[in-house]
Amino acid sequence: MALRFDWEKRIPAGLGGFDSRAMLWLWCRRVALGYSLNPAFVKDLSTRANHLIDSIKSHDEETVRQLEEYRDEYFAARLDDSESKWIDYRDDRLVRWLLEMLEWNSVGISFAISNFDQSVLTPRARVELAFDFSQVPLAGKAQAMERLRKTWSSLIEVDPNLAWVDVRDEEQCRWLVDVIKDSELAPWIHAGLQSPVNNKERYLLVVNTLDRSGWPLKAKKLVLRDIKSKWRRKKSKEEGKKVQCNLNVDSATKEGIKQLADDRKLKMGELIDALVAKELERKRNR
């Protein structure tokens, strides 16, 4: 098998088959045994591995057999990768929920204790380390992972009731945040999401709050139906103030309006409203 990292050429005899994930486990294992490792080196995986290898080699009293015992212990307790293949670490909503479940020790697995701030690790590394380092038997780890999968599956059952939300619509996303903050769901808003700066974060605030609430699916559906109805009433009221205006313009002008509107994620009429309002304001301020 081809080597991916330079440190793999230096790995001591007895630790054959150890990858970056296993080396992170070994770091925590040796710290737990009283070995001194510098937490400043843990963030970068190559620096981490080389520092760990240097530490092992500096304690030359450890035999190959002792190192093999580390290896045997690790692989005997490592959950098969197939158990966690459902986790998409590109999904910010899932990752945020998953990390919180481990923080709360909701399934009997929690973050490993070590000598460094685990926030420097990737979410995937944090989850894998929590399961790898846990003293829960392998069968218990598999059960915990399955509980997480089933719980997540039940949480996303609410998603079809959010199909009306347009993440590209800044007005709608801002309005949604205000509604959630003024609702019975407000206590469940994560502190780290209180001040979203874009539509992706605004939508994440909404769905994460639903995930954290613990409300049954029926209650979530009811509150989302009510919010959807409020949004429709709001837009109907605004549309009632609009008047139809037919203008004859060149085809190139029409295409230009469409392009500008698309760039700003507006309808063509909304773009014209905004441009006229801006020009009138400029005229008043002369």
Side-chain angles (χ1 to χ4, degrees), residues 14-240:
L15 296 179
F18 261 37
D19 54 13
S20 296
R21 172 176 169 179
M23 292 296 277
L24 182 58
W25 171 87
L26 184 58
W27 179 295
C28 295
R29 186 73 178 89
R30 288 178 68 82
V31 167
L33 291 172
Y35 289 95
S36 178
L37 292 167
N38 188 340
F41 295 139
V42 80
K43 183 175 181 179
D44 178 76
L45 62 88
S46 290
T47 305
R48 175 203 312 154
N50 280 311
H51 179 57
L52 184 55
I53 291 169
D54 290 342
S55 173
I56 292 171
K57 289 185 174 182
S58 70
H59 294 84
D60 53 9
E61 74 278 4
E62 289 185 291
T63 65
V64 171
R65 180 58 200 143
Q66 287 174 314
L67 295 180
E68 288 175 342
E69 288 175 358
Y70 283 132
R71 184 192 62 194
D72 295 344
E73 178 185 350
Y74 171 71
F75 284 111
R78 174 168 168 164
L79 201 60
D80 190 83
D81 290 347
S82 63
E83 302 280 0
S84 58
K85 64 182 181 181
W86 61 274
I87 302 175
D88 182 357
Y89 287 98
R90 299 166 299 178
D91 185 338
D92 291 340
R93 173 187 175 188
L94 168 56
V95 167
R96 184 175 286 273
W97 171 81
L98 188 57
L99 293 178
E100 200 158 44
M101 290 301 98
L102 296 177
E103 181 182 351
W104 292 346
N105 196 20
S106 298
V107 292
I109 305 287
S110 58
F111 292 128
I113 298 174
S114 192
N115 65 336
F116 60 89
D117 178 2
Q118 291 190 31
S119 66
V120 303
L121 302 176
T122 65
R124 183 182 194 126
R126 295 178 70 183
V127 173
E128 290 175 342
L129 179 60
F131 275 85
D132 290 345
F133 202 68
S134 172
Q135 297 304 300
V136 173
L138 190 59
K141 292 180 181 181
Q143 291 172 359
M145 184 62 78
E146 180 62 12
R147 283 178 59 194
L148 288 170
R149 189 192 67 79
K150 287 183 176 179
T151 302
W152 179 247
S153 178
S154 69
L155 288 176
I156 60 177
E157 284 184 27
V158 76
D159 289 10
N161 299 273
L162 289 158
W164 58 277
V165 178
D166 184 356
V167 182
R168 300 168 301 174
D169 187 337
E170 183 167 345
E171 178 195 2
Q172 185 185 58
C173 290
R174 286 181 179 274
W175 178 86
L176 270 173
V177 168
D178 291 339
V179 169
I180 294 296
K181 287 185 174 182
D182 197 35
S183 73
E184 294 180 359
L185 286 165
W188 298 102
I189 299 175
H190 193 284
L193 293 173
Q194 286 281 356
S195 302
V197 298
N198 54 49
N199 285 359
K200 181 180 179 181
E201 290 187 2
R202 293 177 188 113
Y203 184 75
L204 182 58
L205 179 150
V206 174
V207 290
N208 179 256
T209 301
L210 289 168
D211 294 340
R212 301 177 83 239
S213 69
W215 287 13
L217 180 60
K218 184 176 180 180
K220 293 178 184 178
K221 286 183 176 180
L222 287 173
V223 73
L224 287 174
R225 186 172 66 184
D226 180 58
I227 293 173
K228 180 180 179 181
S229 296
K230 289 179 179 178
W231 174 252
R232 284 183 170 177
R233 290 196 298 271
K234 177 180 184 300
K235 296 309 290 182
S236 294
K237 185 177 179 181
E238 291 174 356
E239 289 298 327

Side-chain angles (χ1 to χ4, degrees), residues 252-271:
T253 302
K254 181 179 178 181
E255 184 61 29
I257 294 173
K258 185 179 184 304
Q259 288 180 8
L260 291 172
D262 289 344
D263 290 344
R264 302 189 188 187
K265 297 182 174 60
L266 297 173
K267 296 178 182 177
M268 293 172 67
E270 291 172 338
L271 174 68

